[in-house]
Amino acid sequence: MNAFKQLGLEDHLVQAITDIGFETPSEVQEKTIPLLLDQDSDLVALAQTGTGKTAAFGFPMLQKIDINSRTTQGLILSPTRELCLQITNEMKLYGKHCKGLNVTAIYGGASITDQANQVKRGAQIIVATPGRMKDMISRRLVDISKIEYAVLDEADEMLNMGFFEDITEILSYTPKEKSTWLFSATMPKEVSLIAKKFMNSPTEVTVGHKNMGSKNVSHEYFLVGARDRYRALKRLADANPEIFSVIFCRTKRDTQKVAEQLIEDGYSAGALHGDLSQNQRDVVMKSFRAKQIQMLVATDVAARGIDVDDITHVINYQLPDEIETYTHRSGRTGRAGKSGISMVIVSKSEVRKIKSIERIIQKEFIKKEVPSGMEICEVQLKALANKIHDTEINHEIDPYLNDINTLFEDVTKDELIKKFFSVEFTRFFNYYKKSKDLNTQSNSSHDEGRSNDNSTRFFINIGSKDGYDWMKLKDFLRDTLQLNQDDVYKVDVKDSFAFFNTDVAHKDKVLEFFTDFKQDGRFINVEITEKKSRDRNRGGGGGRRSGGVGYGGGGRGRNDRSRNSGSRSDSRGRRSDSNSSGRSPRRSSDFKPSGGGDFSRARKSRRK
Ligand code: ADP
Ligand code: MG
């Protein structure tokens, strides 16, 4: 008997499963489907991404609802629009033999009227993001007062995104006597809290180790100077010509910048983050799924749960704030039985985080060297050779062959091969021959190659009391000052004040910017601090300005300056549209060094 039928699923659902091509139930499906079919209890299921959770709640829901009724009986809440659409499509697929089934997706950024009309026609199942759902409830465009099943999918992520209140409100419109099924990859405190609050002695199902990543993923890290991050990224890409990857950054701004830079350097890259319009995001995702984009640079939130098979590499351009997030990131690869690599680019100050991650994922990282220029030349050369070897001959060239053959009459095959490959090799070789070793030695000084003469240390009167840790402060400074990745360094956060360095070149900009800068009604003051020894003598708030005034600067929050995204001018004043997808990388030839790269003049001059 079919293994899914054995779980208790009806024939039309088993038929759909056969059509889709699932052969055996995954572990989470095996554990939850019989349980949910059998009883009307609440459920908490913990399983990492890619384990088939959608089907685990989808099939039981489809079996249990009354297709002949047009009342909304099932509600699935999910954190992002992408996931919402993905689940909707899956549900439709699973229910393809359920005559009269109507699954409606409700999410922001699309016509609310269209969605309301779809609901009005009788949606037995609604898949929604919390924000839009709340909106539609308050406008009385949906009625969830009769639902029998509520699913909280990716619950940890919904809470991460601050949807707690929305979820609470939405659920307050649902009847008490319903079943609530919560699915999550991790079980932080907030999730147990929500389980307590909304659920009635739920059955718990855990698949595998609670926080363990996929066993098909290997983990590698590369130790580089903080300012070599981008160069290291490029080398990792160049050393993997067939790369199909998601690159994670911590902030929307970095995400946008890295994507723009990659595009400028000739890679097929795209950005995915929350400041893009829905349309831009759709375009990027479509190109990525079609593999026209090889490198998708994304924030954690935007990429959460995205189900694209065949991702070869996940690259952590920066480590996430929350170590647990790493599990989600690396879960983007190694799916559907394939193997994948999760790479982390770290600077010295972050290297201890690797240890913490190892504890959580219960796997060891392999420390790898950033490939040298010559190694990359070799890889690229071999990739080209393989490609040529496997290329099918295009007979459109036949008419020209005579002339070509005449030209090469005196050249032996051996020579021809050498010449042919030299054309491409020389290009790459010239590009990389002067490149330096990017690897930082673990025992070298913490300075990451900065000379002190060229660096200014600042005092700032905000600290951990104000909610900053070193990463948050660094992000804040970079965003407000419009500086580049790694332009702010040596960030040292104390209770009520902090220190940081920038290169002397940015000194005036920093001081000028903070002359009258006010945040939340309070002046934020920055001063140059001479010696580290003076740090100790600083009292809390010692740098606060005594004089007031200057409303002019008050409004310059990070948002005003950093929201500009999608397509924008880069620091060189050129416009580049990160969402122009489908651009082929290395277009003129697959063996072309990618643009300015290690010797990018623009980058160098900014450093001076
Ligand atoms: P999760 O929500 O746990 O991250 P998904 O439900 O998105 O995982 O499923 C991940 C992928 O696995 C999807 O492409 C889905 O179609 C596929 N899948 C789900 N169940 C099975 C199964 N039993 N056999 C094969 N593939 C499956
Ligand atoms: Mg899912």
Side-chain angles (χ1 to χ4, degrees):
M1 189 162 76
N2 179 295
F4 284 96
K5 197 170 165 61
Q6 264 175 347
L7 299 181
L9 291 174
E10 285 165 4
D11 286 339
H12 68 284
L13 295 175
V14 175
Q15 186 56 49
I17 290 170
T18 311
D19 296 349
I20 297 164
F22 295 174
E23 284 169 5
T24 46
S26 71
E27 194 182 343
V28 70
Q29 292 161 4
E30 211 163 37
K31 285 183 172 165
T32 54
I33 292 175
L35 201 110
L36 295 179
L37 289 177
D38 207 43
Q39 39 185 293
D40 277 327
S41 66
D42 287 352
L43 169 85
V44 171
L46 294 182
Q48 65 185 48
T49 36
T51 50
K53 293 192 286 291
T54 317
F57 61 73
F59 282 111
M61 185 182 278
L62 286 166
Q63 181 151 328
K64 290 187 128 181
I65 57 166
D66 179 5
I67 301 284
N68 297 319
S69 158
R70 292 177 3 146
T71 311
T72 300
Q73 302 153 60
L75 171 66
I76 301 164
L77 291 178
S78 86
T80 63
R81 168 196 160 99
E82 277 78 16
L83 275 181
C84 174
L85 288 170
Q86 198 171 292
I87 295 167
T88 307
N89 288 336
E90 291 268 303
M91 291 298 282
K92 286 181 178 163
L93 209 58
Y94 301 163
K96 62 193 262 203
H97 299 302
C98 306
K99 260 215 158 62
L101 173 70
N102 183 356
V103 184
T104 297
I106 286 182
Y107 51 87
S111 157
I112 199 163
T113 324
D114 289 354
Q115 292 174 0
N117 285 336
Q118 275 193 55
V119 172
K120 227 189 286 169
R121 266 181 254 132
Q124 295 97 345
I125 297 173
I126 288 176
V127 188
T129 53
R132 174 57 69 90
M133 188 67 198
K134 212 182 82 176
D135 208 15
M136 300 221 3
I137 292 172
S138 68
R139 296 208 215 167
R140 298 179 185 282
L141 297 174
V142 282
D143 176 11
I144 50 170
S145 66
K146 297 194 183 63
I147 63 160
E148 292 170 56
Y149 308 99
V151 173
L152 304 176
D153 192 28
E154 307 274 4
D156 51 353
E157 189 58 28
M158 284 203 285
L159 296 175
N160 265 346
M161 291 171 68
F163 283 137
F164 183 85
E165 257 107 57
D166 287 357
I167 293 171
T168 308
E169 190 180 330
I170 291 165
L171 291 182
S172 76
Y173 293 99
T174 63
K176 263 216 148 59
E177 53 292 343
K178 65 176 179 302
S179 305
T180 306
W181 304 337
L182 182 151
F183 286 78
S184 189
T186 61
M187 189 73 178
K189 269 200 304 291
E190 294 76 13
V191 176
S192 357
L193 209 89
I194 216 167
K196 271 213 195 78
K197 192 171 156 95
F198 297 111
M199 300 171 84
N200 211 336
S201 44
T203 314
E204 271 202 40
V205 168
T206 304
V207 172
H209 183 275
K210 274 188 187 169
N211 291 309
M212 210 150 61
S214 160
K215 61 177 184 307
N216 297 330
V217 180
S218 55
H219 304 264
E220 303 176 347
Y221 76 93
F222 300 82
L223 186 59
V224 302
R227 305 168 122 199
D228 288 329
R229 233 177 254 282
Y230 180 72
R231 274 181 272 198
L233 173 65
K234 281 185 40 151
R235 288 213 195 161
L236 294 177
D238 285 344
N240 294 282
E242 299 298 321
I243 196 166
F244 180 53
S245 63
V246 184
I247 294 153
F248 285 98
C249 297
R250 285 214 332 275
T251 66
K252 294 176 202 169
R253 181 163 177 259
D254 289 341
T255 303
Q256 181 69 26
K257 281 196 87 134
V258 170
E260 282 179 13
Q261 227 156 21
L262 285 171
I263 290 166
E264 223 172 278
D265 287 344
Y267 295 84
S268 61
L272 188 72
H273 56 72
D275 279 351
L276 301 176
S277 73
Q278 298 295 358
N279 187 42
Q280 287 172 315
R281 285 164 68 163
D282 287 347
V283 168
V284 170
M285 274 315 293
K286 200 167 159 229
S287 316
F288 186 58
R289 283 183 205 282
K291 303 205 171 153
Q292 288 157 343
I293 284 179
Q294 262 187 301
M295 302 170 90
L296 180 72
V297 191
T299 57
D300 289 298
V301 169
R304 182 63 183 271
I306 283 173
D307 176 38
V308 176
D309 288 338
D310 304 332
I311 290 171
T312 58
H313 294 76
V314 163
I315 301 181
N316 293 263
Y317 186 75
Q318 296 145 331
L319 278 173
D321 285 330
E322 303 278 332
I323 289 171
E324 290 209 326
T325 305
Y326 179 82
T327 317
H328 301 310
R329 290 184 173 186
S330 54
R332 301 292 106 231
T333 185
R335 296 165 77 87
K338 302 208 176 75
S339 62
I341 301 174
S342 173
M343 297 173 154
V344 184
I345 303 174
V346 282
S347 66
K348 275 209 64 191
S349 54
E350 303 164 313
V351 91
R352 67 198 150 76
K353 275 195 159 190
I354 294 287
K355 290 276 165 253
S356 320
I357 295 172
E358 284 180 335
R359 269 198 298 280
I360 286 193
I361 62 171
Q362 303 204 333
K363 277 188 119 181
E364 272 186 31
F365 274 80
I366 306 164
K367 182 177 187 301
K368 287 259 185 144
E369 301 278 302
V370 179
S372 69
M374 277 318 290
E375 281 166 327
I376 288 168
C377 290
E378 187 185 333
V379 168
Q380 291 283 352
L381 192 60
K382 284 180 177 161
L384 177 66
N386 278 321
K387 193 172 168 161
I388 290 168
H389 183 263
D390 297 342
T391 294
E392 279 195 31
I393 292 169
N394 180 343
H395 288 287
E396 297 297 315
I397 65 169
D398 289 352
Y400 316 106
L401 284 177
N402 250 341
D403 287 350
I404 295 175
N405 279 322
T406 315
L407 183 63
F408 287 102
E409 220 164 39
D410 298 332
V411 183
T412 66
K413 176 188 169 190
D414 191 42
E415 274 175 322
L416 183 62
I417 288 180
K418 282 180 189 159
K419 278 174 186 273
F420 182 86
F421 281 96
S422 295
V423 174
E424 298 293 342
F425 187 77
T426 307
R427 241 194 308 189
F428 235 95
F429 179 76
N430 286 343
Y431 171 70
Y432 267 120
K433 69 182 171 195
K434 282 184 232 134
S435 64
K436 63 167 187 164
D437 180 8
L438 295 184
N439 297 291
T440 304
Q441 297 316 313
S442 317
N443 55 357
S444 70
S445 90
H446 187 64
D447 203 60
E448 286 171 355
R450 295 166 201 278
S451 94
N452 282 333
D453 313 342
N454 189 29
S455 190
T456 308
R457 190 153 180 83
F458 295 95
F459 163 90
I460 186 166
N461 64 332
I462 49 177
S464 52
K465 268 189 188 158
D466 308 295
Y468 289 94
D469 58 19
W470 69 269
M471 282 207 259
K472 290 205 179 98
L473 184 62
K474 193 167 166 168
D475 288 345
F476 165 72
L477 291 168
R478 281 189 339 218
D479 283 358
T480 46
L481 295 166
Q482 295 275 288
L483 290 174
N484 286 310
Q485 169 69 27
D486 303 323
D487 277 348
V488 177
Y489 46 93
K490 288 188 177 169
V491 179
D492 186 11
V493 177
K494 309 286 186 205
D495 234 22
S496 53
F497 56 98
F499 301 96
F500 64 93
N501 278 43
T502 71
D503 286 356
V504 170
H506 301 303
K507 186 178 79 179
D508 293 342
K509 185 179 182 179
V510 175
L511 292 175
E512 196 180 316
F513 185 84
F514 282 103
T515 305
D516 280 318
F517 184 78
K518 221 174 173 183
Q519 196 184 48
D520 299 332
R522 170 183 159 189
F523 278 105
I524 295 186
N525 182 38
V526 167
E527 290 169 16
I528 292 175
T529 176
E530 293 305 327
K531 292 270 176 307
K532 267 205 150 177
S533 57
R534 264 184 62 191
D535 298 357
R536 264 176 265 123
N537 302 328
R538 290 267 185 196
R544 195 169 302 212
R545 298 170 68 82
S546 44
V549 297
Y551 296 106
R556 294 185 299 181
R558 59 196 307 178
N559 286 340
D560 303 24
R561 294 167 153 245
S562 62
R563 289 197 73 82
N564 177 17
S565 64
S567 161
R568 71 178 187 194
S569 301
D570 65 13
S571 49
R572 276 151 276 173
R574 268 185 269 163
R575 280 191 79 75
S576 58
D577 188 348
S578 68
N579 304 305
S580 61
S581 54
R583 239 178 86 171
S584 169
R586 310 152 199 171
R587 193 169 12 186
S588 56
S589 145
D590 273 46
F591 199 53
K592 185 179 135 218
S594 326
D598 278 1
F599 305 109
S600 161
R601 248 172 296 121
R603 282 183 71 81
K604 270 204 162 158
S605 61
R606 260 187 273 148
R607 292 277 140 75
K608 286 266 153 69

